[in-house]
Amino acid sequence: MNIYTDIPSPAVKQAGESASAYGLQNHGLLNLKRVYWNLAPEALYEEAIFRGEGSICSQGPLVVNTGKHTARAAADKSLVREPSSEGYIWWGTHNRPFNPQSFNTLLTRLQAYLQGRDVFVQDCFGGADPDYRLPVRIITETAWHSLFARTMFLKPESLDAYRRHVPEFTIIAAPGFNASPLVDSTRTETFIILNLAERLAIIGGTCYGGEIKKTVFTILNALLPFDGVLPMHCSANVGPSGDAAIFFGLSGTGKTTLSADPARNLVGDDEHGWSDNGVFNFEDGCYAKVIRLSESAEPQIFECTRRFGTILENVVFDPRTRRLDLNDDKLTENTRAAYPLSFIGNALPDKRAGHPKNVVFLTCDASGVLPPISRLTPDQAVYHFMSGYTSKIAGTEIGLGIEPQITFSACFGAPFMVHHPYRYAQLLKAKILKYGADVWLVNTGWTGGPFGIGKRISIQHTRALLNAALNGQLAQVEYWQDPVFSVSVPKSCEGVPSSILDPANTWPSRAEYDRKYDTLAARFIDNFEFMLSEELEVPKDLVQYGPKRKRSV
């Protein structure tokens, strides 16, 4: 859209009605064309359509195309290296240092780019627990990104609260602004850079909404441990008797699907904190993968794709009938739906629960050798939490192909963890012991062979095993000890064939199974050596809670 035209937009008269007294000049944003403050979803729909940012499809969702970036640009995320934070940041692959002077130069150019342009502001909060919530301001170049932010985060409860909102962290997202690697010292034209000292993050060169969401998560991961709060890449729900459960896992492992259980109340699907008050959601929305979504297997999420107020990223639709085709992956495997948590009928309005009775680690084992469920001791939980073994599923990050990629993502969310994994693991173990939680490792990946040979474990079997763990039925059965990982594996579970509980039974060759299992054990051992080599003192005896190789090295 031509920024110099004076055609009034649909919400121009309401643009400043919900403005905060803490203006954008405090962020160095001057000479803007018009600022649209805290618009409601309906107004943002109108603005997005007026500006050609998306299309309204059958039954009301807003469908947008994120362009060349249909997933997180993980390699383009950095943190400014400065004195107040550099001592506690886990520098490396996921936390790349960025020069303060280069950040200031890039920020100045971004501020200049926004002059003469419209911007949208959402003043909101990260964290449903009032003792730990973080006031955040999200400034965007597009209306649909503002709708995304409003959908995903918690809102002030009154007009007066909007006017008094003062952010403690600010995000500026301008997808139309590209960095110059030669001038700005960035890797590419895309950048996601956090400055913890300035309480500011800037995003450019990408339209993918997940960058905004995960930037807030990274901020909370940096700040909350100082208050004794464990930030977690997990979903959470609560049973009829008030028993809470949390589900750790990377995208594609089943966090959203398995927590959306009609028999339990949903706390949230992705990001939470665990404080001395209990578990609380960081967000007010859900961000689910919807490629090949099944109405029968995932009815609650499926229904959300047919509702006004849902944002669909890169979902293919018929331009004439406006009907969606959730099976079409020609744009990406990583099609997404962002929708309010309230769209899930059994979601808890206050987004808070007590202390978890069960902690579940979800791993998508593409090698097909891990049991579908096993019970861990607190020390084994520390080992597996720090390891974060899983497989990256196609589309969730740029560069992933069709075949799953075996990976170790510390804390089941390494790209968003700012401190060393052992710091988060210490917090987790302390809370497990203090509140008496049981810990389970659940494999939602393959059985009967690796990817390409075996088959994905039935979601019905996974749900039956999880239900038995959460309702206490698995406390009543016999267990056997896995010979490689020494974890406890149930011998039986109602509704699940006993033969699949020992994955060796599902392979055509026991020798091939043993060989593949030994290879996986070696990968675990090598990965944990990296953890022990870090500057933070990690007890070397933690290795005894990991796998033992069956073959000689």
Side-chain angles (χ1 to χ4, degrees):
M1 179 182 174
N2 190 330
I3 66 171
Y4 301 108
T5 61
D6 290 320
I7 301 173
S9 72
V12 66
K13 292 182 180 179
Q14 294 79 42
E17 289 182 356
S18 300
S20 166
Y22 191 84
L24 297 194
Q25 69 276 8
N26 292 288
H27 312 295
L29 298 179
L30 306 172
N31 303 318
L32 300 170
K33 185 178 182 185
R34 183 168 286 107
V35 181
Y36 293 82
W37 289 87
N38 300 307
L39 292 182
E42 294 79 3
L44 289 168
Y45 254 71
E46 292 176 348
E47 288 291 329
I49 299 303
F50 175 77
R51 295 161 192 272
E53 297 173 4
S55 302
I56 299 175
C57 281
S58 178
Q59 296 177 274
L62 178 68
V63 181
V64 298
N65 189 320
T66 64
K68 67 176 181 178
H69 288 311
T70 59
R72 288 184 299 103
D76 293 309
K77 174 193 163 191
S78 305
L79 279 82
V80 173
R81 187 158 198 156
E82 46 78 29
S84 70
S85 63
E86 65 177 343
Y88 65 77
I89 292 176
W90 182 37
W91 298 108
T93 303
H94 303 297
N95 297 308
R96 300 169 181 81
F98 199 79
N99 181 276
Q101 289 73 34
S102 296
F103 177 84
N104 291 336
T105 299
L106 181 58
L107 173 61
T108 299
R109 297 206 313 110
L110 173 58
Q111 291 164 335
Y113 166 82
L114 290 174
Q115 290 191 35
R117 297 177 186 269
D118 292 346
V119 298
F120 296 82
V121 180
Q122 287 295 330
D123 285 327
C124 43
F125 299 97
D129 187 333
D131 290 341
Y132 300 104
R133 70 180 188 179
L134 180 73
V136 177
R137 173 166 290 170
I138 299 172
I139 303 165
T140 63
E141 184 183 8
T142 61
W144 85 259
H145 274 147
S146 193
L147 177 61
F148 180 90
R150 186 177 182 86
T151 301
M152 293 309 304
F153 303 111
L154 295 120
K155 276 72 70 178
E157 296 180 352
S158 67
L159 182 59
D160 183 60
Y162 275 116
R163 290 171 175 166
R164 291 186 290 103
H165 189 94
V166 178
E168 293 181 16
F169 216 105
T170 300
I171 298 170
I172 304 174
F177 176 72
N178 293 322
S180 169
L182 289 177
V183 174
D184 301 310
S185 301
T186 54
R187 192 184 73 93
T188 67
E189 293 180 341
T190 301
F191 59 91
I192 307 98
I193 308 175
L194 285 75
N195 190 325
L196 294 172
E198 297 295 329
R199 297 296 182 104
L200 176 65
I202 55 176
I203 301 171
T206 173
C207 273
Y208 184 62
E211 299 290 10
I212 296 172
K213 167 186 163 66
K214 291 304 185 185
T215 296
V216 173
F217 185 40
T218 303
I219 293 163
L220 292 169
N221 274 309
L223 303 178
L224 288 178
F226 293 109
D227 294 323
V229 178
L230 173 64
M232 304 177 293
H233 190 214
C234 73
S235 56
N237 62 24
V238 182
S241 61
D243 56 302
I246 55 178
F247 306 80
F248 287 92
L250 290 190
S251 296
T253 57
K255 266 196 337 299
T256 298
T257 298
L258 294 171
S259 60
D261 183 344
R264 298 172 66 85
N265 290 319
L266 182 67
V267 182
D269 82 321
D270 195 34
E271 299 166 4
H272 294 78
W274 187 354
S275 72
D276 288 337
N277 300 330
V279 170
F280 62 98
N281 198 340
F282 286 166
E283 302 177 316
D284 196 22
C286 299
Y287 191 50
K289 281 192 72 175
V290 295
I291 191 70
R292 290 178 288 277
L293 194 68
S294 165
E295 184 175 9
S296 59
E298 300 167 279
Q300 291 181 306
I301 302 172
F302 185 89
E303 179 64 25
C304 291
T305 66
R306 267 71 178 168
R307 292 193 61 169
F308 180 91
T310 293
I311 306 164
L312 297 175
E313 288 183 332
N314 305 308
V315 171
V316 175
F317 64 93
D318 185 317
R320 183 181 65 84
T321 65
R322 299 299 175 101
R323 291 177 182 166
L324 305 173
D325 185 353
L326 297 179
N327 296 315
D328 195 327
D329 62 358
K330 69 183 178 185
L331 295 179
T332 178
E333 275 277 330
N334 191 38
T335 56
R336 291 274 175 172
Y339 50 89
L341 189 63
S342 60
F343 281 10
I344 303 296
N346 59 339
L348 290 174
D350 63 356
K351 304 162 191 68
R352 299 171 64 186
H355 299 288
K357 183 179 178 182
N358 289 280
V359 174
V360 180
F361 297 156
L362 298 171
T363 180
C364 177
D365 177 29
S367 64
V369 294
L370 286 180
I373 192 168
S374 52
R375 190 169 60 192
L376 310 182
T377 68
D379 288 314
Q380 288 173 332
V382 168
Y383 183 92
H384 283 275
F385 188 62
M386 291 180 64
S387 298
Y389 167 67
T390 191
S391 301
K392 292 181 182 179
I393 304 300
T396 54
E397 287 185 18
I398 292 170
L400 293 181
I402 295 175
E403 186 170 342
Q405 251 180 42
I406 286 179
T407 189
F408 291 88
S409 186
C411 310
F412 296 95
F416 323 115
M417 301 298 155
V418 176
H419 301 270
H420 188 279
Y422 184 55
R423 177 157 195 184
Y424 300 110
Q426 285 177 301
L427 280 169
L428 177 65
K429 181 181 177 181
K431 293 182 185 300
I432 288 171
L433 292 173
K434 183 174 181 179
Y435 301 110
D438 290 324
V439 186
W440 307 89
L441 180 66
V442 173
N443 174 21
T444 63
W446 275 257
T447 188
F451 173 84
I453 298 175
K455 63 180 182 179
R456 194 86 187 255
I457 294 172
S458 160
I459 189 170
Q460 287 77 15
H461 289 158
T462 299
R463 284 195 184 278
L465 289 164
L466 269 176
N467 289 339
L470 300 186
N471 65 27
Q473 289 180 0
L474 288 190
Q476 314 302 321
V477 303
E478 290 186 59
Y479 285 76
W480 58 276
Q481 189 175 67
D482 180 274
V484 175
F485 281 88
S486 300
V487 295
S488 298
V489 184
K491 291 183 177 181
S492 62
C493 176
E494 185 178 349
V496 180
S498 58
S499 59
I500 73 168
L501 295 176
D502 181 353
N505 295 331
T506 67
W507 281 59
S509 166
R510 179 67 192 236
E512 182 62 19
Y513 168 82
D514 287 341
R515 186 193 68 78
K516 197 73 172 178
Y517 211 1
D518 186 69
T519 300
L520 181 62
R523 295 280 294 269
F524 265 86
I525 292 167
D526 288 346
N527 174 73
F528 213 79
E529 281 296 317
F530 165 73
M531 294 290 178
L532 296 177
S533 68
E534 296 291 331
E535 294 180 5
L536 184 70
E537 290 187 12
V538 179
K540 289 184 169 50
D541 62 358
L542 282 176
V543 298
Q544 68 182 293
Y545 304 110
K548 310 294 188 297
R549 296 197 63 181
K550 297 178 69 175
R551 299 178 176 215
S552 58
V553 179

